[in-house]
PDB file of all heavy atoms in Angstrom:
ATOM      1  N   LEU A 225      96.549 111.044 123.364  1.00 98.00           N
ATOM      2  CA  LEU A 225      95.617 110.667 124.420  1.00 98.00           C
ATOM      3  C   LEU A 225      94.302 111.442 124.337  1.00 98.00           C
ATOM      4  O   LEU A 225      93.223 110.881 124.485  1.00 98.00           O
ATOM      5  CB  LEU A 225      96.290 110.872 125.814  1.00 98.00           C
ATOM      6  CG  LEU A 225      97.373 109.892 126.144  1.00 98.00           C
ATOM      7  CD1 LEU A 225      98.047 110.285 127.466  1.00 98.00           C
ATOM      8  CD2 LEU A 225      96.812 108.458 126.228  1.00 98.00           C
ATOM      9  N   VAL A 226      94.408 112.750 124.069  1.00 98.00           N
ATOM     10  CA  VAL A 226      93.195 113.565 123.982  1.00 98.00           C
ATOM     11  C   VAL A 226      92.328 113.091 122.806  1.00 98.00           C
ATOM     12  O   VAL A 226      91.119 112.852 122.936  1.00 98.00           O
ATOM     13  CB  VAL A 226      93.559 115.039 123.861  1.00 98.00           C
ATOM     14  CG1 VAL A 226      92.303 115.874 123.507  1.00 98.00           C
ATOM     15  CG2 VAL A 226      94.157 115.567 125.130  1.00 98.00           C
ATOM     16  N   ALA A 227      92.962 112.909 121.636  1.00 98.00           N
ATOM     17  CA  ALA A 227      92.198 112.515 120.451  1.00 98.00           C
ATOM     18  C   ALA A 227      91.525 111.164 120.683  1.00 98.00           C
ATOM     19  O   ALA A 227      90.335 110.955 120.384  1.00 98.00           O
ATOM     20  CB  ALA A 227      93.092 112.444 119.225  1.00 98.00           C
ATOM     21  N   PHE A 228      92.281 110.238 121.205  1.00 98.00           N
ATOM     22  CA  PHE A 228      91.804 108.893 121.419  1.00 98.00           C
ATOM     23  C   PHE A 228      90.663 108.868 122.455  1.00 98.00           C
ATOM     24  O   PHE A 228      89.626 108.252 122.259  1.00 98.00           O
ATOM     25  CB  PHE A 228      92.925 107.949 121.836  1.00 98.00           C
ATOM     26  CG  PHE A 228      92.531 106.560 122.101  1.00 98.00           C
ATOM     27  CD1 PHE A 228      92.129 105.731 121.048  1.00 98.00           C
ATOM     28  CD2 PHE A 228      92.451 106.030 123.390  1.00 98.00           C
ATOM     29  CE1 PHE A 228      91.735 104.431 121.257  1.00 98.00           C
ATOM     30  CE2 PHE A 228      92.042 104.734 123.592  1.00 98.00           C
ATOM     31  CZ  PHE A 228      91.692 103.910 122.523  1.00 98.00           C
ATOM     32  N   GLU A 229      90.842 109.597 123.511  1.00 98.00           N
ATOM     33  CA  GLU A 229      89.913 109.479 124.644  1.00 98.00           C
ATOM     34  C   GLU A 229      88.656 110.299 124.335  1.00 98.00           C
ATOM     35  O   GLU A 229      87.549 109.940 124.780  1.00 98.00           O
ATOM     36  CB  GLU A 229      90.574 109.925 125.905  1.00 98.00           C
ATOM     37  CG  GLU A 229      91.644 108.932 126.320  1.00 98.00           C
ATOM     38  CD  GLU A 229      92.443 109.280 127.551  1.00 98.00           C
ATOM     39  OE1 GLU A 229      92.171 110.354 128.161  1.00 98.00           O
ATOM     40  OE2 GLU A 229      93.350 108.531 127.908  1.00 98.00           O
ATOM     41  N   VAL A 230      88.767 111.395 123.568  1.00 98.00           N
ATOM     42  CA  VAL A 230      87.557 112.131 123.173  1.00 98.00           C
ATOM     43  C   VAL A 230      86.767 111.239 122.194  1.00 98.00           C
ATOM     44  O   VAL A 230      85.538 111.157 122.294  1.00 98.00           O
ATOM     45  CB  VAL A 230      87.935 113.474 122.531  1.00 98.00           C
ATOM     46  CG1 VAL A 230      86.717 114.089 121.838  1.00 98.00           C
ATOM     47  CG2 VAL A 230      88.461 114.438 123.618  1.00 98.00           C
ATOM     48  N   ALA A 231      87.455 110.548 121.322  1.00 98.00           N
ATOM     49  CA  ALA A 231      86.771 109.633 120.427  1.00 98.00           C
ATOM     50  C   ALA A 231      86.002 108.599 121.232  1.00 98.00           C
ATOM     51  O   ALA A 231      84.871 108.200 120.895  1.00 98.00           O
ATOM     52  CB  ALA A 231      87.769 108.967 119.456  1.00 98.00           C
ATOM     53  N   ALA A 232      86.645 108.105 122.296  1.00 98.00           N
ATOM     54  CA  ALA A 232      85.992 107.121 123.187  1.00 98.00           C
ATOM     55  C   ALA A 232      84.710 107.669 123.805  1.00 98.00           C
ATOM     56  O   ALA A 232      83.690 107.009 123.897  1.00 98.00           O
ATOM     57  CB  ALA A 232      86.961 106.606 124.230  1.00 98.00           C
ATOM     58  N   GLU A 233      84.812 108.931 124.218  1.00 98.00           N
ATOM     59  CA  GLU A 233      83.599 109.551 124.800  1.00 98.00           C
ATOM     60  C   GLU A 233      82.430 109.626 123.833  1.00 98.00           C
ATOM     61  O   GLU A 233      81.266 109.300 124.128  1.00 98.00           O
ATOM     62  CB  GLU A 233      83.936 110.945 125.308  1.00 98.00           C
ATOM     63  CG  GLU A 233      84.912 110.997 126.478  1.00 98.00           C
ATOM     64  CD  GLU A 233      85.358 112.448 126.786  1.00 98.00           C
ATOM     65  OE1 GLU A 233      84.767 113.388 126.316  1.00 98.00           O
ATOM     66  OE2 GLU A 233      86.320 112.547 127.571  1.00 98.00           O
ATOM     67  N   LYS A 234      82.757 110.041 122.599  1.00 98.00           N
ATOM     68  CA  LYS A 234      81.737 110.105 121.573  1.00 98.00           C
ATOM     69  C   LYS A 234      81.176 108.728 121.268  1.00 98.00           C
ATOM     70  O   LYS A 234      79.985 108.540 121.064  1.00 98.00           O
ATOM     71  CB  LYS A 234      82.327 110.747 120.312  1.00 98.00           C
ATOM     72  CG  LYS A 234      82.840 112.149 120.443  1.00 98.00           C
ATOM     73  CD  LYS A 234      81.769 113.177 120.672  1.00 98.00           C
ATOM     74  CE  LYS A 234      81.046 113.591 119.415  1.00 98.00           C
ATOM     75  NZ  LYS A 234      80.079 114.689 119.667  1.00 98.00           N
ATOM     76  N   ALA A 235      82.046 107.745 121.205  1.00 98.00           N
ATOM     77  CA  ALA A 235      81.647 106.369 120.932  1.00 98.00           C
ATOM     78  C   ALA A 235      80.681 105.865 122.010  1.00 98.00           C
ATOM     79  O   ALA A 235      79.670 105.244 121.721  1.00 98.00           O
ATOM     80  CB  ALA A 235      82.843 105.446 120.832  1.00 98.00           C
ATOM     81  N   TYR A 236      81.018 106.150 123.262  1.00 98.00           N
ATOM     82  CA  TYR A 236      80.206 105.660 124.359  1.00 98.00           C
ATOM     83  C   TYR A 236      78.827 106.334 124.301  1.00 98.00           C
ATOM     84  O   TYR A 236      77.800 105.708 124.637  1.00 98.00           O
ATOM     85  CB  TYR A 236      80.856 105.946 125.704  1.00 98.00           C
ATOM     86  CG  TYR A 236      80.036 105.397 126.854  1.00 98.00           C
ATOM     87  CD1 TYR A 236      80.105 104.053 127.174  1.00 98.00           C
ATOM     88  CD2 TYR A 236      79.170 106.207 127.569  1.00 98.00           C
ATOM     89  CE1 TYR A 236      79.344 103.521 128.185  1.00 98.00           C
ATOM     90  CE2 TYR A 236      78.365 105.668 128.585  1.00 98.00           C
ATOM     91  CZ  TYR A 236      78.477 104.360 128.898  1.00 98.00           C
ATOM     92  OH  TYR A 236      77.717 103.815 129.878  1.00 98.00           O
ATOM     93  N   GLU A 237      78.745 107.556 123.913  1.00 98.00           N
ATOM     94  CA  GLU A 237      77.443 108.232 123.830  1.00 98.00           C
ATOM     95  C   GLU A 237      76.536 107.589 122.827  1.00 98.00           C
ATOM     96  O   GLU A 237      75.339 107.582 122.926  1.00 98.00           O
ATOM     97  CB  GLU A 237      77.661 109.732 123.528  1.00 98.00           C
ATOM     98  CG  GLU A 237      78.153 110.505 124.716  1.00 98.00           C
ATOM     99  CD  GLU A 237      78.760 111.855 124.367  1.00 98.00           C
ATOM    100  OE1 GLU A 237      78.427 112.360 123.283  1.00 98.00           O
ATOM    101  OE2 GLU A 237      79.516 112.397 125.208  1.00 98.00           O
ATOM    102  N   GLU A 238      77.153 107.012 121.772  1.00 97.00           N
ATOM    103  CA  GLU A 238      76.342 106.290 120.786  1.00 97.00           C
ATOM    104  C   GLU A 238      76.027 104.857 121.181  1.00 97.00           C
ATOM    105  O   GLU A 238      75.034 104.328 120.774  1.00 97.00           O
ATOM    106  CB  GLU A 238      77.059 106.303 119.403  1.00 97.00           C
ATOM    107  CG  GLU A 238      76.967 107.612 118.695  1.00 97.00           C
ATOM    108  CD  GLU A 238      77.480 107.511 117.249  1.00 97.00           C
ATOM    109  OE1 GLU A 238      77.773 106.409 116.805  1.00 97.00           O
ATOM    110  OE2 GLU A 238      77.575 108.554 116.608  1.00 97.00           O
ATOM    111  N   SER A 239      76.970 104.227 121.936  1.00 97.00           N
ATOM    112  CA  SER A 239      76.817 102.802 122.212  1.00 97.00           C
ATOM    113  C   SER A 239      77.382 102.484 123.595  1.00 97.00           C
ATOM    114  O   SER A 239      78.580 102.365 123.728  1.00 97.00           O
ATOM    115  CB  SER A 239      77.580 101.954 121.191  1.00 97.00           C
ATOM    116  OG  SER A 239      77.391 102.401 119.917  1.00 97.00           O
ATOM    117  N   PRO A 240      76.542 102.282 124.572  1.00 98.00           N
ATOM    118  CA  PRO A 240      77.052 102.019 125.919  1.00 98.00           C
ATOM    119  C   PRO A 240      77.445 100.598 126.238  1.00 98.00           C
ATOM    120  O   PRO A 240      77.657 100.272 127.389  1.00 98.00           O
ATOM    121  CB  PRO A 240      75.902 102.494 126.822  1.00 98.00           C
ATOM    122  CG  PRO A 240      74.700 102.214 126.001  1.00 98.00           C
ATOM    123  CD  PRO A 240      75.076 102.370 124.557  1.00 98.00           C
ATOM    124  N   TYR A 241      77.526  99.738 125.201  1.00 98.00           N
ATOM    125  CA  TYR A 241      77.890  98.291 125.417  1.00 98.00           C
ATOM    126  C   TYR A 241      79.203  98.034 124.710  1.00 98.00           C
ATOM    127  O   TYR A 241      79.477  98.611 123.638  1.00 98.00           O
ATOM    128  CB  TYR A 241      76.778  97.414 124.941  1.00 98.00           C
ATOM    129  CG  TYR A 241      75.433  97.772 125.574  1.00 98.00           C
ATOM    130  CD1 TYR A 241      74.353  98.125 124.783  1.00 98.00           C
ATOM    131  CD2 TYR A 241      75.289  97.781 126.942  1.00 98.00           C
ATOM    132  CE1 TYR A 241      73.149  98.507 125.342  1.00 98.00           C
ATOM    133  CE2 TYR A 241      74.100  98.135 127.537  1.00 98.00           C
ATOM    134  CZ  TYR A 241      73.033  98.502 126.728  1.00 98.00           C
ATOM    135  OH  TYR A 241      71.827  98.885 127.276  1.00 98.00           O
ATOM    136  N   PRO A 242      80.016  97.087 125.195  1.00 98.00           N
ATOM    137  CA  PRO A 242      81.392  96.994 124.751  1.00 98.00           C
ATOM    138  C   PRO A 242      81.632  96.688 123.251  1.00 98.00           C
ATOM    139  O   PRO A 242      82.517  97.196 122.670  1.00 98.00           O
ATOM    140  CB  PRO A 242      82.047  95.948 125.665  1.00 98.00           C
ATOM    141  CG  PRO A 242      80.902  95.194 126.258  1.00 98.00           C
ATOM    142  CD  PRO A 242      79.728  96.142 126.320  1.00 98.00           C
ATOM    143  N   GLY A 243      80.803  95.754 122.713  1.00 98.00           N
ATOM    144  CA  GLY A 243      80.999  95.360 121.309  1.00 98.00           C
ATOM    145  C   GLY A 243      80.757  96.588 120.393  1.00 98.00           C
ATOM    146  O   GLY A 243      81.602  96.929 119.575  1.00 98.00           O
ATOM    147  N   SER A 244      79.598  97.164 120.555  1.00 98.00           N
ATOM    148  CA  SER A 244      79.246  98.319 119.709  1.00 98.00           C
ATOM    149  C   SER A 244      80.124  99.538 119.981  1.00 98.00           C
ATOM    150  O   SER A 244      80.480 100.269 119.078  1.00 98.00           O
ATOM    151  CB  SER A 244      77.754  98.705 119.904  1.00 98.00           C
ATOM    152  OG  SER A 244      76.949  97.587 119.785  1.00 98.00           O
ATOM    153  N   PHE A 245      80.466  99.717 121.235  1.00 98.00           N
ATOM    154  CA  PHE A 245      81.347 100.810 121.611  1.00 98.00           C
ATOM    155  C   PHE A 245      82.689 100.689 120.859  1.00 98.00           C
ATOM    156  O   PHE A 245      83.210 101.687 120.358  1.00 98.00           O
ATOM    157  CB  PHE A 245      81.570 100.776 123.143  1.00 98.00           C
ATOM    158  CG  PHE A 245      82.728 101.611 123.640  1.00 98.00           C
ATOM    159  CD1 PHE A 245      82.618 102.985 123.763  1.00 98.00           C
ATOM    160  CD2 PHE A 245      83.911 101.033 124.012  1.00 98.00           C
ATOM    161  CE1 PHE A 245      83.655 103.765 124.221  1.00 98.00           C
ATOM    162  CE2 PHE A 245      84.980 101.774 124.455  1.00 98.00           C
ATOM    163  CZ  PHE A 245      84.873 103.157 124.575  1.00 98.00           C
ATOM    164  N   HIS A 246      83.208  99.485 120.865  1.00 98.00           N
ATOM    165  CA  HIS A 246      84.500  99.235 120.192  1.00 98.00           C
ATOM    166  C   HIS A 246      84.448  99.673 118.719  1.00 98.00           C
ATOM    167  O   HIS A 246      85.357 100.294 118.228  1.00 98.00           O
ATOM    168  CB  HIS A 246      84.785  97.733 120.334  1.00 98.00           C
ATOM    169  CG  HIS A 246      86.093  97.282 119.726  1.00 98.00           C
ATOM    170  ND1 HIS A 246      86.446  95.936 119.694  1.00 98.00           N
ATOM    171  CD2 HIS A 246      87.122  97.948 119.193  1.00 98.00           C
ATOM    172  CE1 HIS A 246      87.633  95.845 119.134  1.00 98.00           C
ATOM    173  NE2 HIS A 246      88.084  97.015 118.810  1.00 98.00           N
ATOM    174  N   ILE A 247      83.357  99.312 118.062  1.00 98.00           N
ATOM    175  CA  ILE A 247      83.229  99.658 116.659  1.00 98.00           C
ATOM    176  C   ILE A 247      83.063 101.156 116.425  1.00 98.00           C
ATOM    177  O   ILE A 247      83.649 101.764 115.553  1.00 98.00           O
ATOM    178  CB  ILE A 247      81.991  98.901 116.054  1.00 98.00           C
ATOM    179  CG1 ILE A 247      82.216  97.378 116.205  1.00 98.00           C
ATOM    180  CG2 ILE A 247      81.704  99.301 114.642  1.00 98.00           C
ATOM    181  CD1 ILE A 247      83.515  96.867 115.685  1.00 98.00           C
ATOM    182  N   LYS A 248      82.261 101.751 117.311  1.00 98.00           N
ATOM    183  CA  LYS A 248      82.087 103.219 117.229  1.00 98.00           C
ATOM    184  C   LYS A 248      83.370 103.976 117.503  1.00 98.00           C
ATOM    185  O   LYS A 248      83.566 105.095 117.047  1.00 98.00           O
ATOM    186  CB  LYS A 248      80.994 103.637 118.188  1.00 98.00           C
ATOM    187  CG  LYS A 248      79.607 103.109 117.854  1.00 98.00           C
ATOM    188  CD  LYS A 248      79.034 103.773 116.644  1.00 98.00           C
ATOM    189  CE  LYS A 248      77.607 103.257 116.363  1.00 98.00           C
ATOM    190  NZ  LYS A 248      77.047 103.795 115.137  1.00 98.00           N
ATOM    191  N   LEU A 249      84.224 103.359 118.295  1.00 98.00           N
ATOM    192  CA  LEU A 249      85.527 103.996 118.552  1.00 98.00           C
ATOM    193  C   LEU A 249      86.297 104.220 117.261  1.00 98.00           C
ATOM    194  O   LEU A 249      86.896 105.302 117.079  1.00 98.00           O
ATOM    195  CB  LEU A 249      86.316 103.072 119.531  1.00 98.00           C
ATOM    196  CG  LEU A 249      87.641 103.562 120.077  1.00 98.00           C
ATOM    197  CD1 LEU A 249      87.547 104.974 120.667  1.00 98.00           C
ATOM    198  CD2 LEU A 249      88.172 102.588 121.098  1.00 98.00           C
ATOM    199  N   TYR A 250      86.321 103.269 116.354  1.00 98.00           N
ATOM    200  CA  TYR A 250      86.970 103.494 115.053  1.00 98.00           C
ATOM    201  C   TYR A 250      86.270 104.568 114.275  1.00 98.00           C
ATOM    202  O   TYR A 250      86.902 105.393 113.652  1.00 98.00           O
ATOM    203  CB  TYR A 250      87.000 102.197 114.231  1.00 98.00           C
ATOM    204  CG  TYR A 250      87.719 101.031 114.866  1.00 98.00           C
ATOM    205  CD1 TYR A 250      87.012  99.910 115.266  1.00 98.00           C
ATOM    206  CD2 TYR A 250      89.066 101.060 115.066  1.00 98.00           C
ATOM    207  CE1 TYR A 250      87.659  98.813 115.860  1.00 98.00           C
ATOM    208  CE2 TYR A 250      89.735 100.003 115.664  1.00 98.00           C
ATOM    209  CZ  TYR A 250      88.998  98.893 116.050  1.00 98.00           C
ATOM    210  OH  TYR A 250      89.673  97.801 116.647  1.00 98.00           O
ATOM    211  N   ASP A 251      84.930 104.533 114.332  1.00 98.00           N
ATOM    212  CA  ASP A 251      84.159 105.566 113.604  1.00 98.00           C
ATOM    213  C   ASP A 251      84.606 106.957 114.063  1.00 98.00           C
ATOM    214  O   ASP A 251      84.790 107.869 113.266  1.00 98.00           O
ATOM    215  CB  ASP A 251      82.673 105.388 113.851  1.00 98.00           C
ATOM    216  CG  ASP A 251      82.086 104.196 113.122  1.00 98.00           C
ATOM    217  OD1 ASP A 251      82.818 103.580 112.373  1.00 98.00           O
ATOM    218  OD2 ASP A 251      80.900 103.884 113.354  1.00 98.00           O
ATOM    219  N   TRP A 252      84.753 107.110 115.410  1.00 98.00           N
ATOM    220  CA  TRP A 252      85.058 108.423 115.943  1.00 98.00           C
ATOM    221  C   TRP A 252      86.513 108.802 115.805  1.00 98.00           C
ATOM    222  O   TRP A 252      86.866 110.011 115.780  1.00 98.00           O
ATOM    223  CB  TRP A 252      84.509 108.570 117.365  1.00 98.00           C
ATOM    224  CG  TRP A 252      83.028 108.818 117.340  1.00 98.00           C
ATOM    225  CD1 TRP A 252      82.053 107.897 117.546  1.00 98.00           C
ATOM    226  CD2 TRP A 252      82.367 110.051 116.950  1.00 98.00           C
ATOM    227  NE1 TRP A 252      80.806 108.522 117.394  1.00 98.00           N
ATOM    228  CE2 TRP A 252      80.966 109.810 117.028  1.00 98.00           C
ATOM    229  CE3 TRP A 252      82.852 111.330 116.602  1.00 98.00           C
ATOM    230  CZ2 TRP A 252      80.050 110.811 116.711  1.00 98.00           C
ATOM    231  CZ3 TRP A 252      81.926 112.310 116.282  1.00 98.00           C
ATOM    232  CH2 TRP A 252      80.530 112.047 116.362  1.00 98.00           C
ATOM    233  N   LEU A 253      87.394 107.829 115.734  1.00 98.00           N
ATOM    234  CA  LEU A 253      88.812 108.166 115.401  1.00 98.00           C
ATOM    235  C   LEU A 253      88.875 108.766 114.016  1.00 98.00           C
ATOM    236  O   LEU A 253      89.705 109.621 113.711  1.00 98.00           O
ATOM    237  CB  LEU A 253      89.678 106.924 115.506  1.00 98.00           C
ATOM    238  CG  LEU A 253      89.974 106.432 116.917  1.00 98.00           C
ATOM    239  CD1 LEU A 253      90.667 105.085 116.865  1.00 98.00           C
ATOM    240  CD2 LEU A 253      90.840 107.432 117.697  1.00 98.00           C
ATOM    241  N   TYR A 254      87.976 108.327 113.173  1.00 98.00           N
ATOM    242  CA  TYR A 254      87.885 108.822 111.799  1.00 98.00           C
ATOM    243  C   TYR A 254      87.188 110.192 111.757  1.00 98.00           C
ATOM    244  O   TYR A 254      87.606 111.100 111.022  1.00 98.00           O
ATOM    245  CB  TYR A 254      87.130 107.840 110.952  1.00 98.00           C
ATOM    246  CG  TYR A 254      86.823 108.155 109.538  1.00 98.00           C
ATOM    247  CD1 TYR A 254      87.768 107.938 108.540  1.00 98.00           C
ATOM    248  CD2 TYR A 254      85.568 108.650 109.162  1.00 98.00           C
ATOM    249  CE1 TYR A 254      87.482 108.242 107.208  1.00 98.00           C
ATOM    250  CE2 TYR A 254      85.281 108.960 107.871  1.00 98.00           C
ATOM    251  CZ  TYR A 254      86.218 108.752 106.883  1.00 98.00           C
ATOM    252  OH  TYR A 254      85.944 109.036 105.562  1.00 98.00           O
ATOM    253  N   ARG A 255      86.184 110.344 112.577  1.00 98.00           N
ATOM    254  CA  ARG A 255      85.337 111.552 112.551  1.00 98.00           C
ATOM    255  C   ARG A 255      85.903 112.676 113.384  1.00 98.00           C
ATOM    256  O   ARG A 255      85.470 113.818 113.165  1.00 98.00           O
ATOM    257  CB  ARG A 255      83.936 111.226 113.023  1.00 98.00           C
ATOM    258  CG  ARG A 255      83.223 110.186 112.194  1.00 98.00           C
ATOM    259  CD  ARG A 255      81.903 109.780 112.767  1.00 98.00           C
ATOM    260  NE  ARG A 255      80.898 110.784 112.634  1.00 98.00           N
ATOM    261  CZ  ARG A 255      79.612 110.657 113.073  1.00 98.00           C
ATOM    262  NH1 ARG A 255      79.268 109.547 113.681  1.00 98.00           N
ATOM    263  NH2 ARG A 255      78.775 111.633 112.872  1.00 98.00           N
ATOM    264  N   ILE A 256      86.735 112.399 114.317  1.00 98.00           N
ATOM    265  CA  ILE A 256      87.161 113.460 115.254  1.00 98.00           C
ATOM    266  C   ILE A 256      87.884 114.550 114.462  1.00 98.00           C
ATOM    267  O   ILE A 256      88.622 114.334 113.532  1.00 98.00           O
ATOM    268  CB  ILE A 256      88.106 112.873 116.342  1.00 98.00           C
ATOM    269  CG1 ILE A 256      88.155 113.841 117.502  1.00 98.00           C
ATOM    270  CG2 ILE A 256      89.467 112.500 115.815  1.00 98.00           C
ATOM    271  CD1 ILE A 256      88.800 113.283 118.744  1.00 98.00           C
TER     272      ILE A 256
END
Side-chain angles (χ1 to χ4, degrees):
Chain A
L225 289 175
V226 170
F228 180 70
E229 293 177 2
V230 167
E233 293 172 12
K234 298 291 282 184
Y236 184 80
E237 286 164 19
E238 282 189 9
S239 316
Y241 306 120
S244 306
F245 166 76
H246 182 186
I247 299 310
K248 294 288 182 184
L249 185 52
Y250 300 113
D251 287 355
W252 282 102
L253 287 171
Y254 175 84
R255 299 174 74 178
I256 198 168

